[in-house]
Amino acid sequence: MALVIYDIPFHADIAGLWHVHVNGVPTENFARRVDAIAYAMHQSKLAGAQRGIQVLVSVEGADGIWREFESTAKRPITELR
């Protein structure tokens, strides 16, 4: 089974952008962290619907701990506090 991991850091880069990494490779940039997370969740659901692919979204918290979510997460992301 193939494993795909979307990573979203807590802090923006020096330009104020959040980068979404897929298996360690930067793919998309967003002006807001919530948009980066929403994109990763949407893409993970699309990829997770394919057979033989396991998808995780890994989000860094304010405490520096990375937390993984499966593509079947059901709670919509509307705003981060």
Side-chain angles (χ1 to χ4, degrees), residues 1 5-6 17-21 25-28 31 43-44 46-47 50-51 54-58 60 67 73-74:
M1 178 176 284
I5 301 173
Y6 290 83
L17 298 174
W18 279 266
H19 303 281
V20 175
H21 292 78
V25 177
T27 58
E28 297 287 334
Q43 293 300 323
S44 74
L46 293 176
Q50 299 177 29
R51 281 208 163 126
Q54 179 185 7
V55 184
L56 297 174
V57 175
S58 181
E60 182 183 21
R67 293 169 178 87
K74 293 184 167 81

Side-chain angles (χ1 to χ4, degrees), residues 1-2 4 11 15 17-18 21 23 29-30 32 34 36 39 41 52 57 59-60 63 67 70 74 78 80:
M1 178 176 284
V4 177
H11 296 287
L17 298 174
W18 279 266
H21 292 78
N23 289 348
N29 303 318
F30 295 90
R32 296 183 337 139
V34 68
Y39 168 82
M41 290 304 296
V57 175
V59 181
E60 182 183 21
D63 56 5
R67 293 169 178 87
E70 292 185 332
K74 293 184 167 81
T78 56
L80 296 177

